[in-house]
Amino acid sequence: MEEDTKPILVPVGSDESSYGIMNIQFNPEDYKCKRPFHVEPTNIVSVNDDVQRVTDEASAMNKRIHYYSRLTSPADRALIAPDHVLPAPDEIYVYSPLGTAFKVDSCTDGYGKNSSLVTIFMIWNTMMGTSILSIPWGIKQAGFTSGIILILLMGILTLYCCYRVVKSRQAIPLTDTSNWEFPDVCKYYFGSFGQWSSLLFSMVSLVGAMVVYWVLMSNFLFNTGKFIYNFVHDINVTDIVPGTNGSNKVICPSAASDHPPQNRSVMFSSGNRTGFELFEEWWDKSQTVPFYLIAVLLPLLNLKSPSFFAKFNVLGTVSVVYLVFLVTVKAAHLGIHLEFNWFTENEFFVPEFRILFPQLTGVLTLAFFIHNCVITLLQNNRNQENNVRDLSIAYFLVGLTYLYVGVIIFASFPSPPLSKECIEQNFLDNFPSDDIMSFVARIFLLFQMMTVYPLLGYLARVQLLRQFFGNAYPSLFHVLVLNLAIVGAGVAMARFYPNIGGIIRYSGATCGLAFVFVYPSLIYMISLHRAGQLTWPALIIHIFIILLGLANLIAQFLL
């Protein structure tokens, strides 16, 4: 009864920092979190065990909150929802299609609980994914100079499109869009087509991510098992691949492609040769190891709630930091090997400008992809007026990280004696399995991916099954069929097409066409047209951006 005596309306002149979710203003004396019970948008999932899309209780509570928020003009921002209509705080998690998952803690001081520094870090952490392993290969495909230019240009272009996504809700009149995500904006402008197309492209990004993860996990598990077996049995082996000599050996696996099988080795020291040959037969990178992962990951995919694995989000940051450290140490030992050949190719160096540059733009589309969850990340920024600045800083840091890793690996790759063409799509493959630093990196990445993989599977299940059945877990049979299809795609790719660069650029260019290039530009042009503010320069620029995205997708299948 005491809580019911609190005033519903508070003076308009109150501190603006106390505004809450859905334009609900909070009494400065009230430190309890007041946010909606049910979080609906596609890329925000309330990680709990409820099996209904919206329970009756949650639906009723959500309607009551909306009722209170509409008792006064949204422009006033002067309404408080009483405590008895709001639930206790729950944990929610935000997912990135090819990255990590992070927890948004319950707020204690109203809307926008994170500082700008935390917001910038979260965007950086969410955007940094497996694409970083392919950036050196992408620079090699594009040429050193054009690769650097493309990273800078793609970073600026994707940042602008991301800015258009952030601003897309503000142009919608007479509608409370405070809890909308970008797929909701697409549905508003394009109806059911926008809803289903956004679902399709989102599934492409998610399934593409899971396939890349399966290929990489097979790779990391194979090399990790090989290192452990050789160490335990005191076996000294040398892969039948060209490489450099010395303690910081670099190899060229692509040059040994004519020497099957992939993991055939020559043994130099004593050991049980029969047992060693048997191990290599049952521990094969493409024939056996991808199947071993099924026993571990398929049961995890069928869990109703993968919230336990989200606790390991910090591993994503640790992995990226360690990769930067590894790259720095390797470059310090190997030195810089550069020779600028602008348009011709010789035995050891590639031209500075190559016709294969779209392969890098395909990778970069996914590397800079955060457009389908950026609204959520910025909603939790304490100072909303700094959103654009913080987003720009985060993109700058991501681009700087990609540039550093890509440029350092390319520049330090020892040529001669090896050619720059030897740079692998996963640059860790250029270091032998017995390299200690690479072994540690593979362990970090393997464990991180095994914890993120169930989260991506959960998100794919939520998006797809809820659309068809209105339920994220309609039955174990439906979930098992979906997960078997996803796992089957991963195993097939790991066996027959372990080409992570190709998978990344195909999925990046496909989902990027919709979320990065087409929808943000179209929505902006439509909103300007409806407001009578569309000009010819704006029309030409944004049509050009759409054509760039289309050309980026088509080029992936032509090269």
Side-chain angles (χ1 to χ4, degrees), residues 318-396:
V318 173
S319 300
V320 173
V321 172
Y322 182 78
L323 282 177
V324 173
F325 172 74
L326 179 148
V327 166
T328 305
V329 172
K330 292 294 184 181
H333 285 95
L334 295 172
I336 301 300
H337 303 267
L338 282 178
E339 179 179 310
F340 294 96
N341 298 280
W342 295 102
F343 302 105
T344 59
E345 184 172 3
N346 62 32
E347 181 181 358
F348 301 110
F349 294 92
V350 298
E352 299 305 298
F353 299 92
R354 304 183 77 185
I355 195 64
L356 299 175
F357 71 88
Q359 296 184 357
L360 175 59
T361 61
V363 172
L364 291 174
T365 304
L366 197 56
F368 287 111
F369 183 78
I370 198 175
H371 300 64
N372 62 342
C373 62
V374 66
I375 291 177
T376 301
L377 300 179
L378 293 177
Q379 274 183 335
N380 294 279
N381 197 356
R382 181 178 298 126
N383 300 309
Q384 291 291 293
E385 67 275 8
N386 295 335
N387 279 349
V388 175
R389 182 202 68 183
D390 296 344
L391 179 65
S392 302
I393 294 175
Y395 259 84
F396 171 78

Coordinates of all heavy atoms in Angstrom, one line a residue, residues 318-396:
V318 N 39.6 -12.8 -24.3 CA 41.0 -13.3 -24.0 C 41.6 -13.9 -25.3 O 42.8 -13.7 -25.6 CB 40.8 -14.4 -22.9 CG1 42.2 -15.2 -22.8 CG2 40.4 -13.9 -21.6
S319 N 40.7 -14.5 -26.1 CA 41.3 -15.1 -27.4 C 41.8 -14.1 -28.3 O 42.9 -14.2 -28.9 CB 40.1 -15.9 -28.0 OG 39.7 -17.0 -27.2
V320 N 41.0 -13.0 -28.5 CA 41.5 -11.9 -29.4 C 42.7 -11.3 -28.9 O 43.7 -11.0 -29.6 CB 40.3 -10.9 -29.6 CG1 40.8 -9.7 -30.4 CG2 39.1 -11.5 -30.3
V321 N 42.8 -11.0 -27.6 CA 44.0 -10.4 -27.0 C 45.2 -11.3 -27.2 O 46.3 -10.8 -27.5 CB 43.7 -10.0 -25.5 CG1 45.0 -9.6 -24.8 CG2 42.7 -8.9 -25.4
Y322 N 45.0 -12.6 -27.0 CA 46.1 -13.5 -27.1 C 46.5 -13.6 -28.6 O 47.7 -13.7 -28.9 CB 45.7 -14.9 -26.6 CG 46.9 -15.9 -26.7 CD1 47.9 -15.8 -25.8 CD2 47.0 -16.8 -27.7 CE1 49.0 -16.7 -25.9 CE2 48.0 -17.6 -27.8 CZ 49.0 -17.6 -26.9 OH 50.1 -18.5 -27.0
L323 N 45.6 -13.5 -29.5 CA 46.0 -13.5 -30.9 C 46.8 -12.3 -31.3 O 47.8 -12.5 -32.0 CB 44.7 -13.6 -31.8 CG 44.0 -14.9 -32.0 CD1 42.8 -14.7 -32.8 CD2 44.9 -15.9 -32.6
V324 N 46.5 -11.2 -30.8 CA 47.3 -10.0 -31.0 C 48.7 -10.2 -30.4 O 49.7 -9.8 -31.0 CB 46.6 -8.7 -30.4 CG1 47.5 -7.5 -30.5 CG2 45.3 -8.5 -31.1
F325 N 48.7 -10.7 -29.2 CA 50.0 -11.0 -28.6 C 50.8 -12.0 -29.4 O 52.0 -11.8 -29.6 CB 49.8 -11.5 -27.2 CG 51.1 -12.0 -26.5 CD1 52.0 -11.1 -26.0 CD2 51.3 -13.4 -26.3 CE1 53.1 -11.6 -25.4 CE2 52.4 -13.8 -25.7 CZ 53.4 -12.9 -25.2
L326 N 50.2 -13.1 -29.9 CA 50.9 -14.0 -30.7 C 51.5 -13.4 -32.0 O 52.6 -13.7 -32.3 CB 49.9 -15.2 -31.0 CG 50.5 -16.3 -31.9 CD1 49.8 -17.6 -31.5 CD2 50.2 -16.1 -33.4
V327 N 50.6 -12.6 -32.6 CA 51.1 -12.0 -33.9 C 52.3 -11.1 -33.6 O 53.2 -11.0 -34.4 CB 49.9 -11.2 -34.5 CG1 50.4 -10.2 -35.6 CG2 48.8 -12.1 -35.0
T328 N 52.2 -10.3 -32.5 CA 53.3 -9.4 -32.2 C 54.6 -10.2 -31.9 O 55.7 -9.8 -32.5 CB 53.0 -8.6 -31.0 OG1 51.7 -7.9 -31.2 CG2 54.0 -7.6 -30.7
V329 N 54.5 -11.2 -31.2 CA 55.7 -12.0 -30.9 C 56.3 -12.7 -32.1 O 57.5 -12.7 -32.4 CB 55.4 -13.1 -29.8 CG1 56.6 -14.0 -29.6 CG2 55.1 -12.4 -28.5
K330 N 55.4 -13.3 -32.9 CA 55.9 -13.9 -34.1 C 56.6 -12.9 -35.1 O 57.6 -13.2 -35.7 CB 54.7 -14.6 -34.8 CG 54.2 -15.8 -34.1 CD 55.2 -16.9 -34.0 CE 54.6 -18.2 -33.4 NZ 55.5 -19.3 -33.3
A331 N 56.0 -11.7 -35.2 CA 56.6 -10.7 -36.1 C 57.9 -10.3 -35.6 O 58.8 -10.0 -36.4 CB 55.6 -9.5 -36.2
A332 N 58.0 -10.2 -34.3 CA 59.3 -9.7 -33.7 C 60.4 -10.7 -34.0 O 61.6 -10.3 -34.2 CB 59.2 -9.6 -32.2
H333 N 60.1 -12.0 -34.1 CA 61.1 -13.0 -34.3 C 61.3 -13.2 -35.8 O 62.5 -13.5 -36.3 CB 60.7 -14.4 -33.7 CG 60.8 -14.5 -32.3 ND1 59.8 -14.2 -31.4 CD2 61.9 -14.8 -31.5 CE1 60.2 -14.3 -30.1 NE2 61.4 -14.7 -30.1
L334 N 60.3 -13.1 -36.6 CA 60.4 -13.3 -38.1 C 60.9 -12.1 -38.8 O 61.5 -12.3 -39.9 CB 59.1 -13.8 -38.6 CG 58.5 -15.1 -38.2 CD1 57.1 -15.3 -38.6 CD2 59.4 -16.2 -38.6
G335 N 60.7 -10.9 -38.3 CA 61.1 -9.7 -39.0 C 60.1 -9.4 -40.1 O 59.1 -10.0 -40.3
I336 N 60.4 -8.3 -40.8 CA 59.5 -7.8 -41.9 C 60.0 -8.2 -43.3 O 61.2 -8.0 -43.5 CB 59.3 -6.3 -41.8 CG1 58.8 -5.8 -40.4 CG2 58.4 -5.7 -42.9 CD1 57.4 -6.4 -40.1
H337 N 59.1 -8.8 -44.1 CA 59.5 -9.2 -45.4 C 58.5 -8.6 -46.4 O 57.4 -9.1 -46.7 CB 59.4 -10.7 -45.5 CG 60.3 -11.4 -44.5 ND1 61.6 -11.8 -44.7 CD2 60.0 -11.8 -43.2 CE1 62.1 -12.4 -43.7 NE2 61.2 -12.4 -42.7
L338 N 58.9 -7.5 -47.0 CA 58.1 -6.7 -47.9 C 58.9 -6.3 -49.1 O 60.0 -5.9 -49.0 CB 57.4 -5.5 -47.3 CG 56.2 -5.7 -46.3 CD1 55.8 -4.4 -45.8 CD2 55.1 -6.4 -47.1
E339 N 58.2 -6.5 -50.3 CA 58.8 -5.9 -51.5 C 57.6 -5.5 -52.4 O 56.7 -6.3 -52.7 CB 59.6 -7.0 -52.3 CG 60.1 -6.5 -53.6 CD 60.9 -7.6 -54.3 OE1 61.8 -8.2 -53.7 OE2 60.7 -7.8 -55.5
F340 N 57.5 -4.2 -52.7 CA 56.4 -3.6 -53.3 C 56.4 -3.9 -54.8 O 57.3 -3.4 -55.5 CB 56.3 -2.1 -53.0 CG 56.0 -1.9 -51.6 CD1 57.0 -1.6 -50.7 CD2 54.7 -1.9 -51.1 CE1 56.8 -1.3 -49.4 CE2 54.4 -1.7 -49.7 CZ 55.4 -1.4 -48.9
N341 N 55.5 -4.7 -55.3 CA 55.4 -4.9 -56.7 C 54.0 -4.5 -57.1 O 53.0 -5.2 -56.8 CB 55.6 -6.4 -57.1 CG 57.0 -6.9 -56.8 OD1 57.9 -6.7 -57.5 ND2 57.1 -7.5 -55.6
W342 N 53.8 -3.4 -57.7 CA 52.5 -2.7 -57.8 C 51.5 -3.5 -58.7 O 50.4 -3.7 -58.4 CB 52.6 -1.3 -58.3 CG 53.4 -0.5 -57.3 CD1 54.7 -0.1 -57.4 CD2 52.8 0.1 -56.1 NE1 55.0 0.6 -56.3 CE2 53.9 0.7 -55.5 CE3 51.6 0.0 -55.5 CZ2 53.7 1.4 -54.2 CZ3 51.4 0.6 -54.3 CH2 52.5 1.3 -53.7
F343 N 52.0 -4.0 -59.9 CA 51.1 -4.7 -60.8 C 51.6 -6.0 -61.3 O 50.9 -6.7 -62.0 CB 50.8 -3.7 -62.0 CG 50.2 -2.4 -61.6 CD1 51.0 -1.3 -61.6 CD2 48.9 -2.3 -61.2 CE1 50.5 0.0 -61.3 CE2 48.4 -1.1 -60.8 CZ 49.2 0.1 -60.8
T344 N 52.8 -6.4 -60.9 CA 53.3 -7.7 -61.4 C 53.5 -8.6 -60.2 O 53.7 -8.2 -59.1 CB 54.7 -7.5 -62.1 OG1 55.6 -6.8 -61.2 CG2 54.5 -6.6 -63.4
E345 N 53.6 -9.9 -60.5 CA 53.7 -10.9 -59.5 C 55.0 -11.7 -59.7 O 55.3 -12.0 -60.8 CB 52.6 -11.9 -59.5 CG 52.6 -12.9 -58.4 CD 51.3 -13.7 -58.3 OE1 50.4 -13.5 -59.2 OE2 51.2 -14.5 -57.4
N346 N 55.8 -11.9 -58.6 CA 57.0 -12.7 -58.8 C 56.9 -13.9 -57.9 O 55.8 -14.2 -57.4 CB 58.3 -11.9 -58.5 CG 58.3 -11.4 -57.1 OD1 57.8 -12.0 -56.1 ND2 58.9 -10.3 -56.8
E347 N 57.9 -14.6 -57.7 CA 57.9 -15.9 -57.1 C 57.5 -15.8 -55.6 O 56.8 -16.7 -55.0 CB 59.2 -16.6 -57.2 CG 59.3 -18.0 -56.5 CD 60.6 -18.6 -56.6 OE1 61.5 -18.0 -57.2 OE2 60.8 -19.7 -56.1
F348 N 57.8 -14.7 -54.9 CA 57.6 -14.6 -53.5 C 56.6 -13.6 -53.1 O 56.2 -13.6 -51.9 CB 59.0 -14.3 -52.8 CG 60.0 -15.3 -53.1 CD1 61.1 -15.1 -53.9 CD2 59.9 -16.6 -52.5 CE1 62.1 -16.0 -54.1 CE2 60.9 -17.6 -52.7 CZ 62.0 -17.3 -53.5
F349 N 56.3 -12.7 -54.0 CA 55.4 -11.6 -53.6 C 54.2 -11.4 -54.6 O 54.3 -11.7 -55.8 CB 56.2 -10.2 -53.6 CG 57.2 -10.2 -52.5 CD1 58.5 -10.6 -52.8 CD2 56.9 -9.8 -51.2 CE1 59.5 -10.6 -51.8 CE2 57.9 -9.8 -50.2 CZ 59.2 -10.1 -50.5
V350 N 53.1 -11.0 -54.0 CA 51.9 -10.7 -54.8 C 51.8 -9.3 -55.2 O 52.4 -8.4 -54.5 CB 50.6 -11.1 -54.1 CG1 50.7 -12.6 -53.7 CG2 50.5 -10.3 -52.8
P351 N 51.1 -8.9 -56.3 CA 50.9 -7.5 -56.6 C 50.2 -6.7 -55.5 O 49.5 -7.3 -54.7 CB 50.1 -7.5 -57.9 CG 50.2 -8.9 -58.4 CD 50.4 -9.8 -57.2
E352 N 50.4 -5.4 -55.5 CA 49.8 -4.5 -54.6 C 48.3 -4.4 -54.8 O 47.5 -4.1 -53.9 CB 50.4 -3.2 -54.5 CG 51.9 -3.2 -54.2 CD 52.1 -3.9 -52.9 OE1 51.6 -3.4 -51.8 OE2 52.8 -4.9 -52.8
F353 N 47.9 -4.6 -56.1 CA 46.5 -4.5 -56.5 C 46.1 -5.8 -57.3 O 46.8 -6.0 -58.3 CB 46.2 -3.2 -57.3 CG 46.5 -2.0 -56.6 CD1 47.7 -1.4 -56.7 CD2 45.5 -1.4 -55.8 CE1 48.0 -0.2 -56.1 CE2 45.8 -0.2 -55.1 CZ 47.1 0.4 -55.3
R354 N 45.1 -6.5 -56.8 CA 44.7 -7.7 -57.5 C 43.2 -7.8 -57.8 O 42.4 -7.2 -57.0 CB 45.1 -9.0 -56.6 CG 46.5 -9.0 -56.2 CD 46.8 -10.3 -55.4 NE 46.9 -11.5 -56.2 CZ 47.1 -12.7 -55.8 NH1 47.1 -12.9 -54.5 NH2 47.1 -13.7 -56.6
I355 N 42.9 -8.5 -58.8 CA 41.5 -8.5 -59.2 C 40.7 -9.4 -58.3 O 39.4 -9.3 -58.3 CB 41.4 -9.2 -60.7 CG1 40.0 -8.9 -61.3 CG2 41.7 -10.6 -60.6 CD1 39.7 -7.5 -61.5
L356 N 41.3 -10.1 -57.4 CA 40.6 -10.9 -56.4 C 40.1 -10.1 -55.1 O 39.7 -10.7 -54.2 CB 41.5 -12.1 -55.9 CG 41.9 -13.0 -57.0 CD1 42.9 -14.1 -56.4 CD2 40.7 -13.8 -57.6
F357 N 40.2 -8.8 -55.2 CA 39.9 -8.0 -54.0 C 38.5 -8.2 -53.5 O 38.2 -8.0 -52.3 CB 40.1 -6.5 -54.3 CG 39.2 -5.9 -55.3 CD1 38.0 -5.3 -54.8 CD2 39.4 -5.8 -56.6 CE1 37.1 -4.7 -55.7 CE2 38.5 -5.3 -57.5 CZ 37.3 -4.7 -57.0
P358 N 37.5 -8.6 -54.3 CA 36.1 -8.8 -53.7 C 36.1 -9.9 -52.6 O 35.2 -9.9 -51.8 CB 35.3 -9.2 -54.9 CG 35.9 -8.5 -56.1 CD 37.4 -8.6 -55.8
Q359 N 37.1 -10.8 -52.7 CA 37.1 -11.8 -51.6 C 37.4 -11.2 -50.3 O 36.8 -11.6 -49.3 CB 38.2 -12.9 -52.0 CG 37.9 -13.6 -53.3 CD 38.9 -14.7 -53.5 OE1 39.9 -14.9 -52.8 NE2 38.6 -15.5 -54.6
L360 N 38.2 -10.1 -50.3 CA 38.4 -9.4 -49.0 C 37.2 -8.6 -48.6 O 36.8 -8.6 -47.4 CB 39.6 -8.5 -49.1 CG 39.9 -7.6 -47.9 CD1 40.1 -8.4 -46.7 CD2 41.1 -6.7 -48.2
T361 N 36.5 -8.0 -49.5 CA 35.3 -7.2 -49.2 C 34.2 -8.1 -48.6 O 33.4 -7.7 -47.8 CB 34.8 -6.4 -50.4 OG1 34.4 -7.3 -51.5 CG2 35.8 -5.5 -50.9
G362 N 34.1 -9.4 -49.2 CA 33.1 -10.3 -48.6 C 33.4 -10.7 -47.2 O 32.5 -10.7 -46.3
V363 N 34.7 -10.9 -46.9 CA 35.1 -11.2 -45.5 C 34.9 -10.0 -44.6 O 34.4 -10.1 -43.5 CB 36.6 -11.6 -45.5 CG1 37.1 -11.7 -44.0 CG2 36.8 -12.9 -46.2
L364 N 35.2 -8.8 -45.1 CA 35.0 -7.6 -44.3 C 33.6 -7.2 -44.0 O 33.3 -6.7 -43.0 CB 35.7 -6.4 -45.0 CG 37.2 -6.4 -45.1 CD1 37.8 -5.3 -45.9 CD2 37.8 -6.4 -43.7
T365 N 32.7 -7.6 -44.9 CA 31.2 -7.4 -44.7 C 30.8 -8.1 -43.4 O 30.0 -7.5 -42.6 CB 30.4 -7.8 -45.9 OG1 30.9 -7.2 -47.1 CG2 28.9 -7.5 -45.7
L366 N 31.3 -9.3 -43.3 CA 31.0 -10.0 -42.0 C 31.8 -9.6 -40.9 O 31.3 -9.6 -39.7 CB 31.2 -11.5 -42.3 CG 30.5 -12.4 -41.3 CD1 29.0 -12.2 -41.2 CD2 30.7 -13.9 -41.7
A367 N 33.1 -9.2 -41.1 CA 33.9 -8.7 -40.0 C 33.4 -7.5 -39.3 O 33.6 -7.3 -38.1 CB 35.3 -8.5 -40.6
F368 N 32.8 -6.6 -40.1 CA 32.2 -5.4 -39.5 C 30.7 -5.5 -39.3 O 30.0 -4.5 -39.1 CB 32.5 -4.2 -40.5 CG 33.9 -3.7 -40.5 CD1 34.7 -3.9 -41.6 CD2 34.5 -3.1 -39.4 CE1 36.0 -3.5 -41.7 CE2 35.8 -2.6 -39.4 CZ 36.6 -2.9 -40.5
F369 N 30.2 -6.7 -39.3 CA 28.7 -6.9 -39.2 C 28.3 -6.8 -37.7 O 28.7 -7.7 -36.9 CB 28.3 -8.2 -39.8 CG 26.8 -8.4 -39.8 CD1 26.0 -7.8 -40.7 CD2 26.3 -9.3 -38.9 CE1 24.7 -8.0 -40.7 CE2 24.9 -9.6 -38.9 CZ 24.1 -8.9 -39.8
I370 N 27.4 -5.9 -37.4 CA 26.8 -5.8 -36.1 C 25.4 -5.1 -36.2 O 24.8 -4.8 -35.2 CB 27.7 -5.0 -35.1 CG1 27.3 -5.3 -33.7 CG2 27.7 -3.5 -35.4 CD1 28.2 -4.7 -32.6
H371 N 25.0 -5.0 -37.4 CA 23.8 -4.1 -37.7 C 22.5 -4.7 -37.1 O 21.6 -3.9 -36.8 CB 23.7 -3.9 -39.2 CG 24.9 -3.3 -39.8 ND1 26.1 -3.9 -39.8 CD2 25.0 -2.1 -40.5 CE1 27.0 -3.0 -40.4 NE2 26.4 -2.0 -40.8
N372 N 22.4 -6.0 -37.0 CA 21.1 -6.5 -36.5 C 21.0 -6.5 -35.0 O 20.0 -6.9 -34.4 CB 20.9 -7.9 -37.0 CG 22.0 -8.9 -36.6 OD1 23.1 -8.5 -36.1 ND2 21.7 -10.2 -36.7
C373 N 22.1 -6.1 -34.2 CA 21.9 -6.0 -32.8 C 22.5 -4.7 -32.2 O 22.6 -4.6 -31.0 CB 22.6 -7.2 -32.1 SG 24.3 -7.4 -32.4
V374 N 22.9 -3.7 -33.1 CA 23.5 -2.5 -32.6 C 22.6 -1.7 -31.8 O 23.0 -1.0 -30.8 CB 24.1 -1.7 -33.8 CG1 23.0 -1.2 -34.7 CG2 25.0 -0.6 -33.3
I375 N 21.3 -1.7 -32.1 CA 20.3 -0.9 -31.4 C 20.3 -1.3 -29.9 O 20.2 -0.5 -29.0 CB 18.9 -1.0 -32.1 CG1 18.9 -0.3 -33.4 CG2 17.8 -0.4 -31.2 CD1 17.6 -0.4 -34.2
T376 N 20.3 -2.6 -29.7 CA 20.3 -3.2 -28.4 C 21.5 -2.8 -27.6 O 21.4 -2.4 -26.4 CB 20.2 -4.7 -28.4 OG1 19.0 -5.1 -29.2 CG2 20.1 -5.3 -27.0
L377 N 22.6 -2.8 -28.2 CA 23.9 -2.5 -27.5 C 23.9 -1.0 -27.1 O 24.3 -0.7 -26.0 CB 25.1 -2.7 -28.4 CG 25.3 -4.2 -28.9 CD1 26.5 -4.3 -29.8 CD2 25.4 -5.1 -27.7
L378 N 23.4 -0.2 -28.0 CA 23.4 1.3 -27.7 C 22.2 1.7 -26.7 O 22.3 2.7 -26.1 CB 23.3 2.1 -29.0 CG 24.6 2.0 -29.9 CD1 24.4 2.7 -31.2 CD2 25.8 2.5 -29.1
Q379 N 21.2 0.9 -26.7 CA 20.1 1.2 -25.7 C 20.6 1.2 -24.3 O 20.0 1.9 -23.5 CB 19.0 0.2 -25.9 CG 18.0 0.5 -27.0 CD 16.8 -0.5 -27.0 OE1 17.0 -1.6 -26.6 NE2 15.7 -0.1 -27.5
N380 N 21.6 0.5 -24.0 CA 22.1 0.4 -22.6 C 23.2 1.4 -22.3 O 23.9 1.3 -21.3 CB 22.6 -1.0 -22.4 CG 21.5 -2.0 -22.4 OD1 20.8 -2.2 -21.4 ND2 21.3 -2.7 -23.5
N381 N 23.4 2.4 -23.3 CA 24.4 3.4 -23.0 C 23.8 4.4 -22.1 O 22.7 4.9 -22.3 CB 24.8 4.0 -24.4 CG 26.1 4.8 -24.3 OD1 26.7 5.0 -23.2 ND2 26.5 5.4 -25.4
R382 N 24.6 4.8 -21.1 CA 24.1 5.7 -20.1 C 23.8 7.1 -20.7 O 22.8 7.7 -20.3 CB 25.1 5.9 -18.9 CG 24.6 6.8 -17.8 CD 25.6 6.9 -16.7 NE 25.8 5.6 -16.0 CZ 26.9 4.9 -15.9 NH1 28.0 5.5 -16.3 NH2 26.9 3.7 -15.3
N383 N 24.7 7.5 -21.6 CA 24.5 8.8 -22.2 C 24.1 8.6 -23.7 O 25.0 8.4 -24.5 CB 25.8 9.6 -22.1 CG 26.2 9.9 -20.7 OD1 25.4 10.3 -19.8 ND2 27.5 9.5 -20.3
Q384 N 22.8 8.7 -23.9 CA 22.3 8.4 -25.3 C 22.8 9.4 -26.3 O 22.9 9.0 -27.5 CB 20.8 8.3 -25.3 CG 20.2 7.2 -24.5 CD 20.5 5.8 -25.2 OE1 19.9 5.6 -26.3 NE2 21.3 5.0 -24.6
E385 N 23.1 10.6 -25.9 CA 23.6 11.5 -26.8 C 25.0 11.2 -27.4 O 25.5 11.8 -28.4 CB 23.7 12.9 -26.2 CG 24.7 13.1 -25.1 CD 24.2 12.7 -23.7 OE1 23.1 12.0 -23.7 OE2 24.8 12.9 -22.7
N386 N 25.7 10.2 -26.7 CA 27.0 9.8 -27.2 C 27.0 8.6 -28.1 O 28.1 8.0 -28.4 CB 27.9 9.6 -26.0 CG 28.2 10.8 -25.2 OD1 28.1 11.9 -25.7 ND2 28.5 10.6 -23.9
N387 N 25.8 8.1 -28.4 CA 25.7 6.9 -29.2 C 26.6 6.9 -30.5 O 27.3 5.9 -30.8 CB 24.3 6.6 -29.5 CG 23.5 5.9 -28.3 OD1 24.2 5.5 -27.4 ND2 22.2 5.8 -28.4
V388 N 26.4 7.9 -31.3 CA 27.1 8.0 -32.5 C 28.6 8.0 -32.3 O 29.4 7.3 -33.0 CB 26.6 9.2 -33.4 CG1 27.5 9.3 -34.6 CG2 25.2 9.1 -33.7
R389 N 29.0 8.8 -31.3 CA 30.5 8.9 -31.0 C 31.0 7.6 -30.6 O 32.1 7.1 -31.0 CB 30.7 10.0 -29.9 CG 32.2 10.2 -29.6 CD 32.3 10.8 -28.2 NE 31.9 9.9 -27.1 CZ 31.9 10.2 -25.8 NH1 32.2 11.4 -25.4 NH2 31.5 9.3 -24.9
D390 N 30.3 6.9 -29.7 CA 30.8 5.6 -29.1 C 30.8 4.6 -30.2 O 31.7 3.7 -30.3 CB 29.9 5.2 -28.0 CG 30.0 6.2 -26.8 OD1 30.9 7.0 -26.8 OD2 29.1 6.1 -25.9
L391 N 29.8 4.6 -31.1 CA 29.8 3.6 -32.2 C 30.9 3.8 -33.1 O 31.6 2.9 -33.5 CB 28.4 3.7 -32.9 CG 28.3 2.8 -34.1 CD1 28.2 1.4 -33.7 CD2 27.0 3.2 -34.9
S392 N 31.3 5.1 -33.4 CA 32.4 5.4 -34.3 C 33.7 5.0 -33.6 O 34.6 4.4 -34.3 CB 32.4 6.9 -34.6 OG 31.2 7.3 -35.1
I393 N 33.9 5.2 -32.4 CA 35.1 4.8 -31.7 C 35.2 3.3 -31.7 O 36.3 2.7 -32.0 CB 35.1 5.3 -30.2 CG1 35.2 6.8 -30.2 CG2 36.3 4.7 -29.5 CD1 35.1 7.4 -28.8
A394 N 34.1 2.5 -31.5 CA 34.2 1.1 -31.5 C 34.6 0.6 -32.9 O 35.4 -0.3 -33.0 CB 32.8 0.5 -31.1
Y395 N 34.0 1.2 -33.9 CA 34.4 0.8 -35.3 C 35.8 1.1 -35.6 O 36.5 0.3 -36.2 CB 33.5 1.5 -36.3 CG 32.4 0.6 -36.8 CD1 31.2 0.5 -36.2 CD2 32.5 -0.1 -38.0 CE1 30.1 -0.3 -36.6 CE2 31.5 -0.9 -38.5 CZ 30.3 -1.0 -37.8 OH 29.3 -1.8 -38.3
F396 N 36.3 2.2 -35.1 CA 37.7 2.5 -35.3 C 38.6 1.5 -34.6 O 39.6 1.0 -35.2 CB 38.0 3.9 -34.7 CG 39.4 4.3 -34.6 CD1 40.1 4.7 -35.8 CD2 40.2 4.2 -33.4 CE1 41.5 5.0 -35.7 CE2 41.5 4.5 -33.4 CZ 42.2 4.9 -34.5

